[in-house]
Amino acid sequence: MASPSVENKAAPGAPFYTPAQEPPAGTALDPATAPTLFQPLKIRDLILPNRFVVSPMCQYSAHDGHLTDWHFAHLSKYAIHGVGLTIVEATSVLPNGRITPQDSGLWQDSQIPPLKRIVEFFHSQGQKVGIQLGHAGRKASTLAPWLGHHGTVASKEHGGWGDNVWSASGIPVADDKYAKPKAATLEDIKELVQGFRDAARRALEAGFDTIEIHGAHGYLITEFLSPVTNKRTDAYGGDFEGRTRLLFEAIAAVREVIPASMPLLLRISVTEWMEHTGEPSWTVEDSIRLAKLLPAAGVDLLDASSAGNSEDQKIDVHPYYQIDLAGKIREALRKEGINLLIGAVGFITNAEMARSIVQEGKKEATGSTGHDAVEETAEALATLPRLMSAQQLGVEVKWPNQYHRAGWKKGEKL
């Protein structure tokens, strides 16, 4: 009797042969018994198999804004390691918005193909991938960090544009490094918003599943949000409405290009950690006020980071310092019945910590840190080695087909 034929099924739609990953790696085999960390998350029409997210990581390795084989090798490993969502590094919407001359860009169509190659590989593995769009503002035109002190200006000889660095106002990061910025004109702002719109269109053409707007870490949108760096007297400065105007225009520009089915993410610095100066700065209270406005603007998830806009910042560093900020925003939104997903970031270094942060309906003390309990939500996201975390938490997950013999046995010590 002849044996039945067994097809090594190909991944649908892939431009090359690779076996179909059904379900994708990192998917809990029994979601009903898995912790929230390993349960699916639906954001508009995007469904993530788990709550792990790889945050954007600048590589300073692009050629005129075009990603290279380095980026493919760097990112593709996350596609096979079971990450729910991977976000491509901060990608500038204009040439002068790069942190270094070797940053990723999406200001011209020729930059689409290398990004599309990365997207196609992720999709061939059944995984989701997004891209972060932004502008470096007064932190632009610096050398890669391994070439000198942080903030060293790149000369024109080395591809820099120190004479065309923008900020909300002409206030430099520091007197002894970074370029001296010029205050962006209304025409510059118009060009920037159009840059977000065009970059979003190109991101769609590349096939990305989601877009994140970069409004954190002292880059251009942060510089407009903060009274520390925004001293403008026009419609883009002054009060809260004026200082948030650019952000909402960027959100609107991206939202009008992407389909209603696609989620839009936003990363901000929840606080500048500048309260000690006694001068006005961007605070947790400002972030809560902003967060309440985001759902109506079309933002689906707020990625809560902090700091980066002043060298005078004083951060209260402990393992949960960023997670506590995310928790404060989520708690304030819940009290008013506002539905906005919150991403938790920073120092999430072990599986149990990640599990406790996102465990729905449960609060856990932060242990020996002595700080308040972490606000745990089903919507929080964490970055950590995925398959190892599953083993440590006793969750059986799908491995890539090609690695199916490499998985740990349940309960096996690592």
Side-chain angles (χ1 to χ4, degrees):
M1 182 177 178
S3 300
S5 63
V6 180
E7 178 187 6
N8 194 0
K9 184 179 176 182
F16 49 85
Y17 175 78
T18 186
Q21 307 287 348
E22 297 175 341
T27 302
L29 299 182
D30 185 7
T33 62
T36 305
L37 186 62
F38 282 95
Q39 290 178 9
L41 177 64
K42 188 174 188 292
I43 316 176
R44 295 200 183 220
D45 286 358
L46 177 64
I47 299 177
L48 307 181
N50 57 54
R51 313 301 174 93
F52 290 103
V53 174
V54 171
S55 296
M57 291 179 280
C58 290
Q59 300 296 293
Y60 315 107
S61 301
H63 178 69
D64 190 28
H66 300 75
L67 299 196
T68 69
D69 282 356
W70 169 264
H71 300 90
F72 183 86
H74 161 64
L75 291 164
S76 62
K77 62 180 178 288
Y78 299 111
I80 63 177
H81 285 175
V83 177
L85 174 65
T86 299
I87 303 180
V88 173
E89 66 188 78
T91 298
S92 184
V93 301
L94 295 176
N96 76 336
R98 291 169 290 168
I99 303 168
T100 77
Q102 290 77 39
D103 273 25
S104 172
L106 200 45
W107 65 81
Q108 56 186 340
D109 289 351
S110 62
Q111 292 159 341
I112 297 172
L115 289 166
K116 187 173 183 179
R117 179 188 177 210
I118 291 168
V119 171
E120 287 177 342
F121 183 76
F122 270 82
H123 289 172
S124 77
Q125 305 306 305
Q127 304 292 7
K128 307 303 182 182
V129 59
I131 188 168
Q132 186 184 69
L133 301 179
H135 189 291
R138 64 180 187 160
K139 288 186 169 182
S141 190
T142 64
L143 294 175
W146 55 82
L147 293 176
H149 295 295
H150 188 65
T152 301
V153 179
S155 66
K156 287 190 175 181
E157 178 187 2
H158 296 110
W161 54 95
D163 58 349
N164 189 31
V165 172
W166 298 350
S167 184
S169 302
I171 303 172
V173 179
D175 292 331
D176 58 341
K177 52 186 178 178
Y178 291 98
K180 180 172 176 52
K182 66 172 186 174
T185 65
L186 295 181
E187 191 62 33
D188 293 335
I189 292 172
K190 183 179 179 180
E191 181 183 355
L192 176 70
V193 173
Q194 184 63 44
F196 272 100
R197 185 179 291 109
D198 292 341
R201 173 187 61 78
R202 295 185 181 104
L204 275 184
E205 189 171 335
F208 283 102
D209 299 297
T210 187
I211 290 172
E212 178 173 81
I213 294 175
H214 196 355
H217 302 161
Y219 298 120
L220 189 58
I221 289 177
T222 306
E223 294 161 21
F224 271 82
L225 293 176
S226 168
V228 172
T229 43
N230 187 340
K231 305 297 184 182
R232 302 175 72 95
T233 57
D234 62 8
Y236 292 91
D239 59 11
F240 178 89
E241 286 75 16
R243 288 182 283 108
T244 59
R245 188 180 305 276
L246 173 60
L247 171 60
F248 282 110
E249 288 185 359
I251 291 170
V254 173
R255 191 77 258 179
E256 74 182 43
V257 171
I258 63 178
S261 58
M262 177 182 283
L264 178 60
L265 286 54
L266 169 66
R267 171 171 281 201
I268 66 168
S269 286
V270 175
T271 175
E272 297 181 85
W273 298 102
M274 292 287 287
E275 293 86 347
H276 65 279
T277 66
E279 298 296 324
S281 65
W282 185 266
T283 65
V284 176
E285 290 70 28
D286 292 310
S287 292
I288 291 172
R289 183 178 177 184
L290 175 66
K292 292 176 181 179
L293 303 174
L294 294 178
V299 173
D300 303 286
L301 184 147
L302 179 63
D303 191 0
S305 188
S306 71
N309 198 39
S310 174
E311 297 200 325
D312 295 327
Q313 64 191 16
K314 290 186 179 180
I315 303 174
D316 179 18
V317 179
H318 59 86
Y320 286 81
Y321 82 97
Q322 307 241 75
I323 297 156
D324 286 348
L325 297 173
K328 288 178 181 178
I329 295 176
R330 190 65 191 128
E331 182 67 20
L333 296 180
R334 281 186 165 181
K335 286 180 179 179
E336 297 191 22
I338 298 173
N339 185 25
L340 178 67
L341 304 177
I342 304 297
V345 304
F347 287 3
I348 304 173
T349 56
N350 64 76
E352 178 55 33
M353 182 180 183
R355 185 208 64 78
S356 70
I357 292 166
V358 302
Q359 189 62 32
E360 186 175 14
K362 189 172 186 289
K363 294 182 76 174
E364 296 228 355
T366 60
S368 60
T369 64
H371 289 268
D372 294 336
V374 178
E375 175 65 21
E376 302 176 80
T377 75
E379 298 84 8
L381 305 169
T383 301
L384 202 67
R386 281 65 44 197
L387 300 177
M388 184 177 291
S389 297
Q391 170 66 13
Q392 292 172 346
L393 295 174
V395 181
E396 292 189 84
V397 297
K398 171 70 162 53
W399 280 59
N401 293 344
Q402 299 92 325
Y403 294 164
H404 77 283
R405 290 180 291 184
W408 297 290
K409 296 178 181 178
K410 191 172 182 179
E412 181 179 355
K413 292 184 178 180
L414 304 183

